[in-house]
Amino acid sequence: MRVRDKVVVVTGAASGIGRAMALRFAAEGAAGVLVADLDGAGASEVAHRIGERAVAVRADVSVEDDVRGLVTAAEGTFGPVDLFCSNAGIITGHGLEATDPEWTRTIAVNVLAHVYAARAVVPGMVERGGGYLLNTCSAAGLVSCPGDAPYAVTKSAAISFAEWVAIHYATKGVKVSVLCPQGVRTGMFEQGIAEQHLTARAVGASGAILDPDTVADEVIEGLAAERFHIFPHPEVAEFVRRKADDPDRWLAGMARFVDSLEA
């Protein structure tokens, strides 16, 4: 997947990783970038910075009609969507105390939004002979994370759904990648640090905190290689291997890690 001359949709694109990806896709020569976010003003700022090859749309990705509207807007402005980046995500900061509404909202944004995106674009991609989905899923989807239960569970589910799409549509020309970083210097991470969330403290203790632009660089490289897993933090691949090699030892190590953070 080379982004030049492609039509791209990026959700959660007003800030953080989404903003960095939208700007980088434009710099790479994308034919059009639809910048989507619940923060309409922030999305408009990013689109304005890109210029005439971008359009901003305010959207709530937990609403299927909004996601379909993004595809309609992109197609009407630039043409068929070649790359859909389902990037929007939320945190709760809560474990067992997370409320049912928090679980419902997190599932809607972190999982169902990917389902809605696939429903909206995959049939057309199959018809045209190809297309690409990039889903931001987090390392937490592969190796869990201390603290935030809804976040860990939904990111794992998002990866499982991406695997399902890849299994069923790869031979029909639809490629899938999951972006799985650890710590990234975004508003979501800064909020977690400010509120002393266990998850944010664990991320801070686990490795480098990358700038969103660095993650966007890794996205461009990962898409070009068409890798399913895109790891801006390469050590995540080793964490996944250790988990697979000895799940009991991995779980015990994670439990000790949580104890050290709570001490």
Side-chain angles (χ1 to χ4, degrees):
M1 163 56 71
R2 303 288 182 181
V3 178
R4 177 170 292 280
D5 299 326
K6 299 297 193 298
V7 175
V8 185
V9 175
V10 185
T11 68
S15 61
I17 295 171
R19 180 180 189 275
M21 288 196 298
L23 294 173
R24 183 59 187 272
F25 293 151
E28 290 288 318
V33 180
L34 187 141
V35 182
D37 205 286
L38 193 58
D39 175 7
S44 294
E45 184 276 326
V46 175
H48 179 75
R49 179 169 173 179
I50 292 171
E52 63 183 14
R53 288 182 295 120
V55 63
V57 178
R58 184 186 182 278
D60 181 346
V61 297
S62 70
V63 177
E64 185 165 15
D65 283 348
D66 279 21
V67 177
R68 289 192 177 276
L70 298 179
V71 177
T72 300
E75 290 178 342
T77 307
F78 303 116
V81 175
D82 299 295
L83 170 62
F84 194 107
C85 302
S86 191
N87 171 75
I90 59 173
I91 59 174
T92 72
H94 296 149
L96 290 179
E97 73 277 14
T99 65
D100 285 359
E102 285 179 314
W103 275 100
T104 298
R105 178 65 177 165
T106 308
I107 290 167
V109 175
N110 291 1
V111 183
L112 289 179
H114 299 297
V115 177
Y116 300 154
R119 286 176 180 168
V121 298
V122 167
M125 290 176 174
V126 171
E127 195 173 297
R128 294 189 301 274
Y132 214 108
L133 301 179
L134 172 66
N135 296 347
T136 300
C137 295
S138 171
L142 292 167
V143 291
S144 195
C145 66
D148 197 323
Y151 185 79
V153 171
T154 55
K155 290 301 185 178
S156 179
I159 292 174
S160 290
F161 178 68
E163 291 172 344
W164 184 92
V165 174
I167 289 166
H168 286 80
Y169 290 97
T171 60
K172 298 175 177 65
V174 179
K175 304 294 180 64
V176 185
S177 291
V178 290
L179 175 60
C180 299
Q182 287 195 125
V184 182
R185 205 171 302 285
T186 65
M188 193 161 65
F189 174 72
E190 299 294 347
Q191 174 192 341
I193 290 295
E195 296 177 3
Q196 283 295 291
H197 291 175
L198 181 63
T199 303
R201 290 190 286 119
V203 167
S206 296
I209 306 301
L210 302 180
D211 290 325
D213 288 345
T214 301
V215 176
D217 292 342
E218 294 295 328
V219 166
I220 293 298
E221 195 275 331
L223 290 175
E226 296 188 348
R227 289 196 305 271
F228 180 75
H229 290 130
I230 299 178
F231 292 141
H233 297 80
E235 61 268 29
V236 172
E238 176 62 16
F239 299 158
V240 172
R241 185 193 65 77
R242 292 177 186 175
K243 177 183 176 182
D245 284 350
D246 192 337
D248 292 318
R249 182 177 181 180
W250 173 78
L251 285 168
M254 288 292 284
R256 288 193 299 271
F257 180 41
V258 170
D259 285 347
S260 73
L261 293 168
E262 293 179 332

